[in-house]
């Protein structure tokens, strides 16, 4: 995608004439470009987009986005690139429903190549402690005849982004035995800082990654660029698991280009640092608590 709408108010439909090409953004001062990155949208389907700078091999700058259908057809701005997904094929929201509209997130899926057996902890960095031993007692694995269906985090990510009404419906979600209404525990990352208090109970947060920076022991997934916007710090060992799962290419000059413009859903905490920087952290240090959707 070569052009985007720049909408500081995050209302791209009202800023249709305020368009920028990738080459125009490339020539801006770095500080100006950084300030604009979180407010770029596809001019066809108005989904948030990410800017990909010129490649080391000479590839031109461009934009990436997870496009929506427009009047039942593919977004006219969508490129011919094949969308890479994590192998969890999306299912229509109607198929995900059950009689009581209760969803149970299967955090145990995809955390390790080895089976996580009930009441038998496995010593590995990528199995959350909460899932060791007591995993089955909360019914996190769905079964026939129950009114609670187990769903992968990645499946929920697609439902949240592909159906704007999904979180407005009377759906409920159960996490570690606690039942809550989805609309009360799902929050769009771009609205968190201005609407929520930090140090709150864990919840689900979703949004679009503007860029991903490798800082040695930590990879920072940035949703914005100022201290008033969110970032997600991921332990490097955990991020290496995500790289394998989503076939993410190694960093180039400290940046993971594949993640630019990708969507995410995580379960975790919203906090602020001593320097008043806002960030989201995984519920525990394990890849099970975040799902990505790459373009």
């Amino acid at each position: 995608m070569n052009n985007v709408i720049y909408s500081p108010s995050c209302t791209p439909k009202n800023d249709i004439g305020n368009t920028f090409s990738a080459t125009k953004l490339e020539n801006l001062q770095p500080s100006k470009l950084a300030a604009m990155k979180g407010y770029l949208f596809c001019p066809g389907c108005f989904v948030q987009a990410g800017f990909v700078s010129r490649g080391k091999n000479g590839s031109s700058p461009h934009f990436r986005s997870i496009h929506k259908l427009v009047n039942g057809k593919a977004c006219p701005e969508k490129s011919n690139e094949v969308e890479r997904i994590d192998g969890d094929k999306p299912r229509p929201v109607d198929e995900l429903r059950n009689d009581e509209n209760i969803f149970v997130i299967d955090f145990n899926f995809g955390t390790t190549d080895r089976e996580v057996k009930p009441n038998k902890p496995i010593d590995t960095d990528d199995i959350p402690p909460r899932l060791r031993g007591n995993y089955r007692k909360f019914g996190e694995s769905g079964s026939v005849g129950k009114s609670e269906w187990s769903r992968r985090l990645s499946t929920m990510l697609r439902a949240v982004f592909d159906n704007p009404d999904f979180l407005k419906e009377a759906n409920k979600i159960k996490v570690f035995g606690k039942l809550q209404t989805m609309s009360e525990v799902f929050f769009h990352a771009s609205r968190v800082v201005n609407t929520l208090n930090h140090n709150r109970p864990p919840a689900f947060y979703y949004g679009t990654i503007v860029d991903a920076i490798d800082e040695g022991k930590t990879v920072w997934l940035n949703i914005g660029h100022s201290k008033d916007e969110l970032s997600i710090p991921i332990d490097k060992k955990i991020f290496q698991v995500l790289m394998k799962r989503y076939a993410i290419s190694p960093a180039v000059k400290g940046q993971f280009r594949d993640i630019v413009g990708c969507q995410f859903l995580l379960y975790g905490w919203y906090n602020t640092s001593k320097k008043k920087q806002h960030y989201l952290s995984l519920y525990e240090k394990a890849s099970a608590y975040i799902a990505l959707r790459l373009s």
Side-chain angles (χ1 to χ4, degrees):
M1 187 166 64
N2 295 318
N3 296 281
V4 290
I5 296 173
Y6 170 56
S7 178
S9 62
C10 295
T11 55
K13 291 184 180 180
N14 298 331
D15 295 306
I16 292 178
N18 195 19
T19 57
F20 283 81
S21 66
T23 52
K24 187 173 182 179
L25 257 67
E26 180 185 39
N27 293 322
L28 294 176
Q29 291 293 327
S31 59
K32 177 64 175 177
L33 175 59
M36 293 178 63
K37 278 186 175 180
Y39 306 98
L40 307 177
F41 298 84
C42 170
C45 58
F46 306 116
V47 170
Q48 191 171 3
F51 174 74
V52 181
S53 58
R54 186 176 299 274
K56 194 173 183 179
N57 60 357
S59 60
S60 61
H62 58 281
F63 303 101
R64 306 180 90 170
S65 177
I66 305 295
H67 300 276
K68 288 185 177 180
L69 295 178
V70 179
N71 297 324
K73 298 181 180 179
C75 173
E77 300 294 331
K78 185 174 182 180
S79 68
N80 293 324
E81 293 181 352
V82 177
E83 180 179 344
R84 298 190 315 177
I85 59 177
D86 62 357
D88 178 26
K89 295 182 179 179
R91 298 178 61 180
V93 173
D94 287 343
E95 290 185 19
L96 296 178
R97 292 177 179 163
N98 50 64
D99 292 340
E100 298 181 27
N101 286 346
I102 297 176
F103 297 82
V104 183
I105 298 296
D106 186 357
F107 288 119
N108 219 31
F109 176 81
T111 57
T112 176
D113 292 332
R114 292 174 289 179
E115 181 182 0
V116 182
K117 297 182 179 180
N119 302 316
K120 188 177 181 181
I122 297 176
D123 185 16
T124 175
D125 291 336
D126 195 43
I127 301 177
R130 300 272 180 165
L131 302 189
R132 299 174 188 169
N134 63 358
Y135 168 65
R136 296 298 181 193
K137 83 174 186 180
F138 291 119
E140 306 296 289
S141 186
S143 60
V144 177
K146 287 190 175 182
S147 59
E148 302 174 3
W149 287 355
S150 179
R151 289 292 174 260
R152 303 173 185 178
L153 194 62
S154 55
T155 305
M156 298 301 293
L157 183 156
R158 290 180 175 81
V160 167
F161 277 97
D162 293 348
N163 182 358
D165 295 324
F166 186 60
L167 298 179
K168 299 178 183 179
E169 299 168 353
N171 297 327
K172 293 181 173 60
I173 191 162
K174 182 180 285 187
V175 182
F176 301 124
K178 185 176 181 180
L179 187 64
Q180 296 172 286
T181 302
M182 281 190 183
S183 59
E184 297 176 349
V185 292
F186 276 76
F187 303 100
H188 196 290
S190 66
R191 295 187 287 271
V192 166
V193 174
N194 295 324
T195 58
L196 299 180
N197 294 322
H198 61 277
N199 297 324
R200 55 178 291 110
F204 292 89
Y205 298 95
Y206 62 98
T208 301
I209 301 300
V210 172
D211 61 22
I213 309 298
D214 185 353
E215 292 192 355
K217 294 182 179 181
T218 304
V219 175
W220 287 87
L221 308 182
N222 296 314
I223 303 164
H225 291 275
S226 74
K227 69 177 183 179
D228 296 324
E229 297 173 294
L230 285 170
S231 295
I232 307 170
I234 305 288
D235 182 272
K236 191 61 172 291
K237 291 183 179 180
I238 301 303
F239 189 77
Q240 288 172 346
V241 177
L242 296 175
M243 288 183 68
K244 181 179 179 181
R245 182 179 304 165
Y246 297 102
I248 298 171
S249 302
V252 176
K253 294 184 178 180
Q255 298 192 33
F256 291 95
R257 297 163 58 88
D258 288 356
I259 308 182
V260 172
C262 87
Q263 296 169 343
F264 74 90
L265 172 64
L266 72 79
Y267 182 69
W269 313 87
Y270 165 46
N271 287 298
T272 58
S273 68
K274 293 181 180 179
K275 296 182 179 180
K276 303 300 182 182
Q277 293 176 314
H278 302 268
Y279 64 94
L280 299 175
S281 57
L282 303 184
Y283 181 65
E284 289 173 341
K285 289 186 177 181
S287 63
Y289 295 109
I290 185 169
L292 303 176
R293 188 182 185 189
L294 279 65
S295 60

